[in-house]
Amino acid sequence: MNQGEFREIGHRVVDLLAEYLEHIEEKPVFPNVAPSTLTQLFAEPLPQGSTASEDVLRELEEKLLPYCTHVGHPGYMGLITPSPNPVGVIADFICSALNQNIGAYTIGPAGVAMERRTVRWLTDLVGYGEKAGGNLTSGGMMANFIGLKLARDSVSGDRSQHDGVQQRWAVYASEERHVSVDKAVDAVGLGRTALRALPTDAEFRVRLDALEAALAEDHKHGIRPLCIVGIFGTTNTGAMDAIRNLRAIADREGMWLHVDAAYGGGMLLSHAWCMRNQGLESADSITIDPHKWFYAPLDAGAILVKDDRRLTASFGMKPSYLTDELDRADERYQYYVHSFEQSRRFRGLKVWMSFKRYGANQIGEWVDNNVRQAKHLYSLVAKHPEFEAASEPPMSAICVRYRGTDLSEPESKELHAEVARRVEQSGKFWFSTTELKGKAWFRINPVNFRTRTEHMDQLFAWLEQECHSVRQSR
């Protein structure tokens, strides 16, 4: 591809995406297409010859764009994958063109500096001091994994990373934790049975009495407490655990405190609901995801650590083929030495550009609008005799339930699933279902800067209509 062709196809792509974003609200949120149809669309052997760029782009217009889930649509209120901000989209274009590998200084020196500054912004945001550090990851899954590895290494005196796990350890987390915590406990060699899933209170916060009981039981059986995983914004309801109380317990027991703020971290930018006073800065490590409620495009998570020396202690290996002999003054920061990944995408660019273009104030206003929309939906539900909310939303996530009389729980679960299916097929909205305290719920989460209050009114009217329709048909 010569520069003329690159320029021409690049302009066409920008025009195509600008048109897409301008008319995104007119599209169905979720494509009404069978999985088998999509499989057939792409059923072809590996291409052996070249294809003109315009033909490849035309094929994408026919086969990809019509069958995407349009997460930038104001009616998308499902998993926490917000509308990507436009400058972040441009940043990813630049990122791919430069192809900087931030894992090693020599393959991306300015990119390394940019990511370090971006991480500093995030550590400042959570309230950490100058000794803090971290790095950007693919998302909360990887960040929580790193957080649990740091916990394992620190509490074991760094023996586990050399000798393997030699003792029985336990990790304590809420029943409302993200599944990444379970996977991390497994991946760091503790085994899934080492996880203590603790019950929550009426507001879906981890019960401290249950934590104390679990600790006492483990002590009786010679099981050592390793880590508490607090949650700053649960996926289902946005609930926040009492971080300061967890810190006190962790200190008493000699445990690491990791806090999963992958979703709730966005509330640190809020103007109307300031949440910088919840003790987040007391955690040893924190997961936060700019690609969630900071509206950066995927993928951009982050692991933040109160003392960045712990990163070096857990990952500090320098193979000869990566040693930088020119770094005589030890000034070239090597992410591969202080993190898990070696080959690393230049994720910092889109987060840096997002903050530079919109500023924390504008992003905070978007966050506040999403919270207002959730609270508005809560007010509609509270006035309706046939619906209930699991709790008043502290963030943007809200779980809503149809509680028609004479419905058994299996029937209720079936009804909620059927209504969600109908809403998905309508193309007007998309949300998910979940289970809380053994009951089925609609899980609705407006995390889109295009969503307006009127969309919440339309959604609730649609829910009411479909719930009654499904009920009458059975």
Side-chain angles (χ1 to χ4, degrees), residues 80-154:
I80 311 170
T81 305
S83 45
N85 67 71
V87 80
V89 174
I90 293 171
D92 257 350
F93 189 8
I94 298 171
C95 170
S96 294
L98 298 177
N99 205 34
Q100 301 292 278
N101 181 351
I102 310 305
Y105 182 88
T106 53
I107 319 179
V112 168
M114 181 179 285
E115 177 159 328
R116 295 196 75 191
R117 176 48 52 184
T118 302
V119 167
R120 171 52 53 192
W121 288 344
L122 296 177
T123 57
D124 289 347
L125 195 59
V126 302
Y128 276 164
E130 287 300 313
K131 292 182 179 179
N135 53 80
L136 299 184
T137 68
S138 59
M141 284 276 188
M142 181 58 71
N144 281 338
F145 162 70
I146 294 173
L148 263 292
K149 174 173 163 52
L150 299 177
R152 186 201 68 180
D153 294 348
S154 177

Side-chain angles (χ1 to χ4, degrees), residues 450-463:
R450 295 185 182 89
T451 302
R452 303 181 296 276
T453 301
E454 66 195 65
H455 292 112
M456 309 312 291
D457 292 323
Q458 295 166 8
L459 171 62
F460 188 61
W462 194 264
L463 273 182

Side-chain angles (χ1 to χ4, degrees), residues 1 145 180 193 274 320 348 353 421:
M1 179 183 289
F145 162 70
S180 57
T193 58
C274 181
S320 59
M353 284 184 68
R421 186 187 67 81

Side-chain angles (χ1 to χ4, degrees), residues 341-356:
E341 295 176 286
Q342 177 183 325
S343 297
R344 302 180 65 249
R345 182 169 171 79
F346 185 11
R347 301 181 180 108
L349 180 60
K350 57 188 152 197
V351 184
W352 185 89
M353 284 184 68
S354 296
F355 276 126
K356 292 288 287 187

Side-chain angles (χ1 to χ4, degrees), residues 25 29 70 72-78 428-431 448 451 455 459:
E25 192 167 348
V29 183
H70 303 296
H73 191 292
Y76 177 83
M77 302 179 194
K428 298 179 182 295
F429 300 97
W430 196 91
F431 54 78
N448 193 316
T451 302
H455 292 112
L459 171 62

Side-chain angles (χ1 to χ4, degrees), residues 290-308:
H291 71 210
K292 284 191 170 69
W293 224 3
F294 291 57
Y295 307 92
L298 291 165
D299 58 4
I303 178 70
L304 308 178
V305 187
K306 184 186 292 186
D307 186 343
D308 70 347

